[in-house]
Amino acid sequence: MRTLFATLVMLVVGAGRAEAKVHVVTTIETFADLARRVGGDRVDVKSLSHGYMDPHFVEPKPSLVIDLNRADLLVHVGLELEIGWLPPLVLGSRNEKITLGQPGNLDASSQIPVLDVPTTKVDRSMGDIHPQGNPHYWVAPDNAVIVAREIAARLEQIDGSGAAAYRANLKRFEEEVGKRRAEWEKRAAPMRGTKVVTYHKSWSYVSKWLGLTEVGYVEPKPGIPAPPSHIAGLIGLMRREGVKVILMESFYPRNTVDLVGQKAGAKTLVMPSDVGATPEIKDYFSLVDAVVAKLVSP
Ligand SMILES: [Zn+2]
């Protein structure tokens, strides 16, 4: 009897293991797409936020704690992007595997060449929400590849038997990015040198990649709403510099930007910044397609 029971347990556990997927939870939808590409059918992926939300401020719903409780791997943007909402959720999930320093906790910024690192000490109490540099790095192709490599390495560490699959999937993604990247750059070439103003300091990596010149920002500091004196100065600056384009994400308030655009004679482009920003943007490639399309044919 005991032998039969042991055999049954072994069968059930064995079957479960063969079926079990690696549960990946990401903070943004772009990372969820990268994890699906690298993980293929060995992973089950969920994103805590959606591409139409401000990733700095995600509502910490109880369902997110449940997702985190089941996670084998948590992939987050880092550079304090999620500091306002993620740490309490991780704590609440009581999941040792995804705590800081564990293989199940991947700070995807660790290998990114970070832009806009403050040269003086910046304190969050002063309101700047980018104290460790600019966390909005994932749209630029070089950075997407870096994140995909990091995810592949962690999946391999957590699920060694999938190593060959993860490496093959990563290689396919890298090749696809290489191909598409040349098309994107060719398409956006006429934008090179274009002067732009952005609402939040969230386009630095795209501007660097495609050669846009950022002249100013609607927010005086990342996360700080503009006082009237700043707006007046910005309008003057845009007139002097001949800035005709303002870039902003859909989740920022429109009224100030429309006023600035009207007074300065500039057009506002509502840009997607993450997979899921609009229903058509279903993956990393359609995200960059949409960004480039917005820039070249506003
Ligand atoms: Zn930001």
Side-chain angles (χ1 to χ4, degrees), residues 63-240:
S63 63
L64 305 185
V65 175
I66 296 166
D67 292 337
L68 285 167
N69 174 262
R70 295 179 185 143
D72 300 303
L73 174 61
L74 167 64
V75 187
H76 54 108
V77 175
L79 299 169
E80 298 199 5
L81 181 82
E82 304 103 333
I83 200 164
W85 57 276
L86 186 62
L89 290 178
V90 171
L91 195 67
S93 77
R94 298 168 183 270
N95 181 352
E96 191 63 33
K97 285 189 280 188
I98 59 163
T99 54
L100 222 59
Q102 294 299 314
N105 183 307
L106 174 59
D107 175 345
S109 72
S110 64
Q111 302 300 316
I112 298 289
V114 178
L115 299 179
D116 309 326
V117 178
T119 47
T120 53
K121 191 172 159 33
V122 176
D123 191 318
R124 266 182 101 84
S125 65
M126 293 151 67
D128 188 331
I129 57 174
H130 296 169
Q132 296 183 6
N134 194 322
H136 303 273
Y137 56 78
W138 56 86
V139 178
D142 281 354
N143 293 342
V145 166
I146 289 172
V147 174
R149 282 180 191 150
E150 293 280 297
I151 293 173
R154 280 304 166 90
L155 285 175
E156 204 174 313
Q157 205 177 334
I158 292 166
D159 171 34
S161 52
Y166 299 138
R167 286 177 194 189
N169 293 343
L170 173 65
K171 190 162 176 274
R172 195 175 315 125
F173 177 67
E174 288 176 337
E175 284 168 359
E176 180 75 12
V177 170
K179 222 183 297 164
R180 300 299 309 280
R181 185 199 166 101
E183 291 167 27
W184 290 322
E185 288 173 0
K186 196 176 163 194
R187 241 186 119 191
M191 290 299 287
R192 210 155 261 286
T194 301
K195 289 176 180 173
V196 300
V197 157
T198 77
Y199 186 95
H200 183 65
K201 209 168 170 42
S202 44
W203 295 96
S204 304
Y205 297 90
V206 171
S207 293
K208 190 179 178 211
W209 171 42
L210 297 175
L212 309 178
T213 305
E214 294 185 358
V215 168
Y217 307 92
V218 175
E219 290 179 337
K221 278 183 187 173
I224 304 279
S229 59
H230 175 76
I231 293 299
L234 183 67
I235 293 166
L237 175 74
M238 287 173 71
R239 285 185 182 149
R240 286 196 302 280

Side-chain angles (χ1 to χ4, degrees), residues 30 33-34 138-141 144 173 177 184 275 283-288:
T30 299
D33 181 55
L34 299 182
W138 56 86
V139 178
F173 177 67
V177 170
W184 290 322
V275 168
D283 60 17
Y284 175 71
F285 294 103
S286 50
L287 170 64
V288 187

